[in-house]
Every structure is written in C-alpha cells, then in structure tokens.
Amino acid sequence: MPNSSSVSEFLLLAFTDKRELQLLHFGLFLGIYLAALLGNGLIVTAVACDHRLHTPMYFFLLNLALLDLGCISTTLPKAMANSLWNTRAISYQGCAAQVFLFFSLAGTEFSFLTIMSYDRYVAICKPLHYGSLLGSRACAQMAAAAWGSGFLSAVLHTATTFSLPLCQGNAVDQFFCEIPQILKLSCSDAYLREVGALVFTLLLVFLCFVYIVVSYVQIFRVVLRMPSEQGRHKAFSTCLPHLAVVSMTVSTGLFAYLKPPSITSQSLDLVVSFLYSVVPPAVNPVIYSMRNQELKYAVRKIFLYKLLHHQ
C-alpha cells in the first residue's frame, strides 16, 4: 500500500484525451491567461501611477488585482503546460505548492472583499468619519491582517493535508491540486482533522459573507434616500461591481465545495472548478472598470502615454 512518502508525483485530471482538443484548450487557456494578466496589470499600473487613485478604495482594489494575478498564475500555467505536452503529471512538491498558494491567495482575496465592503459602508453611511476610520495606517493594518491570515491559514491546511498517509493512488480528480481531492486519496482517519479545519474555514467565509450582505443592506438604504440622482449613480457605480465580484466568487466557490455528492461528476467538477478558480481573475478587471470613470480615465492615460512615448 503506497503512503505519502512513496508518492513522488500526482496525476491531474485532463480536460480531454484528444490531441486536437488539448491544443484547442491550450489556446483557450492562453487567451484567458493573457487577458487576466493584461486586465489586472492595467489596474495595478493605473492605481500605482495615478495619484488621484491613491485612496483606500483603490488601494484595496490594487491588492485584489495582485491576488487575482497570483490565483490564476497558480493554476492555469500548469494546466496549459499539461495540455501542450500531453501529460498529467505534477510533482509532489509542485502539488503542495499549488495547494498552499491557491488557498493562501483565495483566502486573502475574500478577506479583501470583506474589507472593501467595509470601505464602501463607511464611505456612504459614515462619510464624515471616513478619514479617521480609513486612514493610511488603518488601511495598512487591515491589508497586513488579510495577507497574514491567508498565509497562516494556508500553512495550517497544507501542512495537515500533506502529512496524511495516502493509499488510494495518486490520481487527483481535478485539473489542479486542491485539498478535497487530496483528502480522497487518504487512508487514515486523521483526514477528519483537516475536514474539520475546512468546515471551520467555510464557516468563517460564511460569516464574512453575512457581514458583506448586512453592509450592503445598510448601504442601499442610504443610497435610495439620496436626493441627488448623480449621487445615487456614483454610489451604485462603486458598489455594484464589488457586489457582482462577491456574488460570483461566493456562489461558484460554495457550490464547488458544498454541492451534494449525488450531482458530482468529473465533468461537472472540472467546469465548476474552472468557474471559481479561473473565470473571476479574468473577469474581475472588466467588472471593476465597466462603470468606474476614474479607473477608465487612468487606464486611457497609460495607453496615451505609451502611444506618445513610442512615436
């Protein structure tokens, strides 16, 4: 019976066995990856270079863009390489690194989504206290807490998961390494500790989601009472993109981890995991810039500068 010490690599689930479709998937993944790099890279550059965007809201958005870049870079390049070279293998260390990075970045990202809802709540419901509640020191402390909590949580979950003995082979039913799929390979009752830790983490995520919902209930009550149509439009333009990102992230992530076993299949698991791990990082920049005139203007300035610089 093999155990974790004898497993030197894992076999990821392939999207298809047909060579033509593998190359098609590679091209599709490459297009999505480049779009995510471009979109999030533009947000990072715009916020960093435009002094008018040096505000708490855009500081948190910059962190979110960096996290999106990290998340999609953790999963998609390996999937692209496997499709291109017609292989399924990932090393034991590579699998552990994927689990750690994805769990850390995804956890940190949800912390920032929660912080961003607090930022919008203070800006709209308590505007006179915005400067004191969200000064540069407070923003730095919240950002450090978000990054730190994601890192520590990932260390705990990764160490617990990869300390389990594995006796169910080395085939992971997913296109990247994730904890529930690794637990399926365990033959020890010790995996229940990691299941308990995952349940606790999901409970914290649920509590954060409840906080976000309650915050937005308060925000919309204030916004709908605003006498100025322009004020309402500006408030909605900063709140709705964030709410759309939260809804997409939470719905796909919770469905992936909490869907009933009766509707589980390899194809469905692949689609759902793709929706929560790949689509949000690629789509988030579009959602955030769609109604945000300040961000659009900053991005246009970057393109104009590059154009004039090259002429």
Side-chain angles (χ1 to χ4, degrees):
M1 237 184 232
N3 56 33
S4 56
S5 61
S6 65
V7 173
S8 60
E9 66 175 20
F10 291 94
L11 298 177
L12 299 175
L13 188 63
F15 279 90
T16 179
D17 294 326
K18 293 183 179 178
R19 189 61 188 148
E20 297 81 4
L21 291 178
Q22 286 176 345
L23 294 175
L24 180 64
H25 284 146
F26 170 77
L28 176 65
F29 297 158
L30 181 61
I32 293 172
Y33 187 56
L34 292 176
L37 290 181
L38 177 63
N40 288 291
L42 282 173
I43 286 179
V44 170
T45 307
V47 174
C49 296
D50 194 328
H51 70 277
R52 294 180 311 162
L53 301 185
H54 292 176
T55 64
M57 182 178 81
Y58 290 107
F59 169 70
F60 297 137
L61 183 58
L62 181 146
N63 278 269
L64 196 70
L66 290 173
L67 288 162
D68 280 336
L69 283 173
C71 278
I72 200 166
S73 296
T74 299
T75 59
L76 213 50
K78 182 59 180 174
M80 287 192 296
N82 283 1
S83 292
L84 184 61
W85 302 115
N86 190 23
T87 181
R88 296 172 52 199
I90 182 172
S91 68
Y92 186 88
Q93 294 79 9
C95 188
Q98 265 198 345
V99 167
F100 170 77
L101 287 172
F102 187 78
F103 205 96
S104 175
L105 294 167
T108 304
E109 180 160 341
F110 199 77
S111 296
F112 270 104
L113 289 174
T114 307
I115 292 170
M116 289 170 79
S117 72
Y118 173 71
D119 169 70
R120 291 299 82 205
Y121 168 75
V122 175
I124 293 171
C125 300
K126 298 180 182 294
L128 298 178
H129 301 284
Y130 190 79
S132 58
L133 293 175
L134 282 157
S136 56
R137 184 183 178 86
C139 290
Q141 288 174 340
M142 286 189 282
W147 283 95
S149 62
F151 174 81
L152 292 175
S153 178
V155 167
L156 171 66
H157 285 287
T158 306
T160 305
T161 300
F162 284 89
S163 65
L164 298 173
L166 307 177
C167 63
Q168 305 293 330
N170 65 340
V172 178
D173 291 335
Q174 194 51 271
F175 77 94
F176 67 98
C177 288
E178 63 173 1
I179 290 175
Q181 302 301 331
I182 303 296
L183 293 181
K184 289 180 181 178
L185 306 178
S186 172
C187 54
S188 167
D189 287 341
Y191 80 93
L192 292 173
R193 286 181 302 176
E194 176 55 24
V195 170
L198 277 176
V199 170
F200 178 71
T201 300
L202 287 173
L203 179 61
L204 289 179
V205 169
F206 177 73
L207 291 175
C208 287
F209 180 66
V210 169
Y211 174 81
I212 292 170
V213 170
V214 171
S215 297
Y216 271 100
V217 168
Q218 299 298 320
I219 287 170
F220 288 138
R221 284 176 61 188
V222 172
V223 170
L224 292 173
R225 289 203 300 262
M226 286 180 177
S228 164
E229 186 178 343
Q230 186 179 0
R232 288 197 300 270
H233 180 268
K234 186 176 180 181
F236 279 128
S237 69
T238 59
C239 291
L240 291 180
H242 177 253
L243 202 54
V245 170
V246 170
S247 301
M248 181 171 60
T249 303
V250 171
S251 59
T252 53
L254 287 182
F255 184 75
Y257 279 83
L258 299 178
K259 64 181 181 299
S262 58
I263 61 170
T264 295
S265 69
Q266 281 189 348
S267 300
L268 181 63
D269 287 348
L270 274 175
V271 171
V272 171
S273 62
F274 188 82
L275 286 175
Y276 86 83
S277 65
V278 174
V279 173
V283 173
N284 284 356
V286 178
I287 294 175
Y288 274 113
S289 61
M290 194 176 294
R291 298 183 55 148
N292 193 313
Q293 297 303 320
E294 290 178 327
L295 197 56
K296 281 182 183 177
Y297 178 73
V299 170
R300 277 199 297 268
K301 262 177 55 176
I302 292 171
F303 276 119
L304 248 148
Y305 174 79
K306 291 291 184 185
L307 189 64
L308 293 172
H309 187 69
H310 285 293
Q311 282 182 349

